Amino acid sequence: MGNQEKIAFSIRKEMVQSNLKGMRAVAWTLMYVSFIITLIHYGEIFFDKTERAMVPIYIAIHTLMFYIDVAVLLFVREKRMTINSFNIQKYEHLIVVYIYTVILLITVISVMDVYFFHHAALYEVILIIVCTVFALPLRKIIWIILLTAPAIIASTYMSVGVSSENIKIILPMSLLIPVGIMIQYQTYKVRKQFNTQHILLDEEMTKTKQLSELLAAKNNELKEQALRDTLTNLPNRRAFNIKLTKIGHQLHKTQSLTVMMIDIDCFKKFNDYYGHLKGDEAIAKVASILEEVAEKYNAFVARWGGEEFVMISQHTEKFAEPLCEEILEEVRYLKIPHEQSDVDEYVTVSIGMCHAKITTNEHLQTCCELADQALYRAKQNGRNNYYRKKAIFDEKAIASI
């Protein structure tokens, strides 16, 4: 089903649902009317002997209408109805059949009213109600009018002939029937236009919402990309700074923090000997190992720049050294050949690590600086190892061990 067909079906569905609600409203009204008139007829106090002959017919028709309306109220419920493309025509036929049945029964009553009481008030009232409540194409309602109105007019001539009584019946009908037809036409036209605009507005709102969600997703994707290193797909230095800011905002009480600066040993020689493509490949492999380790220990790792990485862990001090040892072992296990290394035949890394209990942003920055200094010491100590500094903060001084 194309978009235009979906819109057309939605409009049609709205019209049917509106008419079904109208059918329930008319059913309530006619039940009340049938109940009151039936009570009056049972009393027979307003009828002379001649008029009482039609009472059983009146009662039978109103009783029939009463049960028809009860059936409508019992079975035509909005919560029970699921209108789809397969059953919508059935509901449209149900509405038309109900209208035709009601008007035909009212016509029978009105024919007797014309004969006995010289008026067709009930027909006129019900016709106006039907034309006002139901929004149907004029072609569907005009046939029942063309069928019933002549029957009442014929009954008028048969009962009173050409007289002033005749005019009293014909004149209101000649005025109300065209008015009812005009009301019906306008009701259908206005309601269809309203439903069309409502559905088109919903469609536009849905499209706008979808576009907004798509735009938001693209913006989030761009933000994610802006915080990712293109080679390793690790968070970049900007993301690392954001992480530090978040940690700083959470410093409501003392927190354990381990910062590790990780550098690939003799990487310039690796690049010069194997080429930059192999160098990028080595960086990506080391980054993959660091990402796995960080995920395992619920740590945060980022590419600091070049061949250097930084990892932050908020675990207690006892996890710091095992974490460094695991990183050294996992990188060596990659067995990336490095013939120009001063350390090993394979690619290795050096780690500078600082552990501290911090309470302020200044402590956080200091811890990062000490980790960088520790990395320098690890390189001085022969690389392929780690060097640890522990920072102790107090109100008067900062000590590092």
Side-chain angles (χ1 to χ4, degrees):
M1 188 182 289
N3 190 51
Q4 291 297 325
E5 291 176 338
K6 286 182 179 179
I7 293 173
F9 175 76
S10 296
I11 295 168
R12 186 179 171 191
K13 181 179 177 181
E14 286 287 331
M15 297 295 286
V16 170
Q17 288 176 331
S18 176
N19 283 330
L20 288 172
K21 290 178 182 178
M23 190 161 72
R24 286 180 58 85
V26 171
W28 277 114
T29 303
L30 292 182
M31 277 183 65
Y32 173 74
V33 170
S34 297
F35 178 74
I36 296 299
I37 292 179
T38 302
L39 283 180
I40 294 172
H41 288 159
Y42 266 117
E44 299 184 359
I45 56 177
F46 300 106
F47 309 125
D48 58 29
K49 187 175 181 179
T50 306
E51 293 169 348
R52 287 174 187 167
M54 56 79 184
V55 169
I57 301 175
Y58 268 106
I59 292 175
I61 294 173
H62 280 294
T63 302
L64 177 61
M65 285 181 58
F66 182 85
Y67 284 114
I68 290 173
D69 293 327
V70 168
V72 167
L73 295 174
L74 286 176
F75 298 108
V76 181
R77 294 185 182 181
E78 191 175 358
K79 292 181 179 179
R80 288 185 178 181
M81 296 181 298
T82 303
I83 300 174
N84 52 48
S85 57
F86 299 105
N87 62 17
I88 189 169
Q89 193 170 18
K90 179 185 75 175
Y91 284 112
E92 289 174 335
H93 289 330
L94 175 65
I95 293 163
V96 173
V97 167
Y98 176 74
I99 293 171
Y100 276 45
T101 302
V102 166
I103 293 180
L104 283 172
L105 291 175
I106 294 299
T107 300
V108 174
I109 293 172
S110 295
V111 166
M112 290 190 293
D113 283 341
V114 168
Y115 184 80
F116 288 104
F117 306 111
H118 309 309
H119 71 78
L122 189 58
Y123 177 86
E124 295 159 359
V125 170
I126 298 303
L127 180 65
I128 292 297
I129 290 175
V130 167
C131 291
T132 304
V133 172
F134 293 99
L136 293 170
L138 190 58
R139 66 180 183 275
K140 289 188 176 182
I141 202 75
I142 193 68
W143 294 110
I144 191 64
I145 297 174
L146 293 177
L147 178 66
T148 55
I152 295 175
I153 293 172
S155 175
T156 301
Y157 280 106
M158 289 175 62
S159 61
V160 297
V162 180
S163 64
S164 59
E165 293 293 334
N166 182 301
I167 298 300
K168 290 178 182 179
I169 300 171
I170 299 299
L171 183 59
M173 286 187 62
S174 63
L175 294 174
L176 288 175
I177 289 176
V179 169
I181 292 172
M182 290 175 60
I183 290 173
Q184 168 63 29
Y185 175 75
Q186 289 298 322
T187 299
Y188 175 74
K189 181 179 177 181
V190 170
R191 198 174 297 175
K192 185 176 182 180
Q193 186 177 9
F194 173 80
N195 288 335
T196 302
Q197 291 175 347
H198 176 70
I199 290 167
L200 290 176
L201 181 60
D202 282 347
E203 284 283 319
E204 289 300 319
M205 289 177 68
T206 302
K207 289 180 181 177
T208 303
K209 184 179 179 181
Q210 290 173 346
L211 288 174
S212 298
E213 289 174 351
L214 180 61
L215 182 60
K218 289 295 182 183
N219 285 336
N220 289 334
E221 187 179 333
L222 288 173
K223 287 178 182 178
E224 285 289 328
Q225 289 176 358
L227 297 175
R228 288 278 169 182
D229 176 61
T230 54
L231 174 62
T232 64
N233 201 37
L234 288 178
N236 56 23
R237 191 162 180 173
R238 181 183 175 191
F240 173 73
N241 292 333
I242 293 173
K243 179 67 175 179
L244 289 184
T245 302
K246 287 182 178 178
I247 293 174
H249 289 158
Q250 295 170 356
L251 292 176
H252 306 303
K253 59 181 180 179
T254 302
Q255 292 191 23
S256 292
L257 184 76
T258 301
V259 179
M260 286 167 282
M261 302 297 293
I262 306 159
D263 186 73
I264 300 177
D265 295 327
C266 307
F267 188 73
K268 185 178 185 305
K269 292 182 179 180
F270 185 96
N271 257 348
D272 292 342
Y273 185 77
Y274 293 100
H276 289 285
L277 291 178
K278 285 291 184 180
D280 287 347
E281 186 178 328
I283 289 173
K285 288 181 178 179
V286 171
S288 178
I289 288 296
L290 294 176
E291 188 175 23
E292 289 178 11
V293 173
E295 185 176 352
K296 178 180 177 182
Y297 288 95
N298 195 27
F300 176 85
V301 64
R303 188 181 180 190
W304 185 258
E307 71 277 14
E308 196 168 358
F309 303 88
V310 60
M311 187 179 291
I312 299 176
S313 172
Q314 292 178 270
H315 291 96
T316 57
E317 185 177 0
K318 68 178 182 179
F319 284 96
E321 292 189 11
L323 185 55
C324 290
E325 291 172 356
E326 185 169 343
I327 291 171
L328 292 172
E329 183 181 349
E330 291 291 339
V331 172
R332 281 196 299 266
Y333 187 74
L334 287 172
K335 294 186 178 180
I336 303 171
H338 191 350
E339 294 183 18
Q340 300 299 308
S341 175
D342 301 332
V343 182
D344 198 288
E345 60 179 321
Y346 299 113
V347 167
T348 58
V349 294
S350 298
I351 304 173
M353 181 260 288
C354 176
H355 179 82
K357 290 185 177 180
I358 62 174
T359 56
T360 66
N361 285 327
E362 290 76 13
H363 295 168
L364 183 60
Q365 295 296 330
T366 301
C367 196
C368 293
E369 292 169 5
L370 291 175
D372 195 48
Q373 293 174 18
L375 176 62
Y376 182 73
R377 289 292 297 272
K379 290 180 181 181
Q380 284 184 325
N381 291 344
R383 295 186 174 89
N384 190 25
N385 60 19
Y386 69 91
Y387 186 85
R388 172 188 175 189
K389 280 196 171 188
K390 182 178 180 181
I392 302 174
F393 300 104
D394 58 35
E395 295 180 356
K396 297 179 179 179
I398 298 175
S400 63
I401 303 173

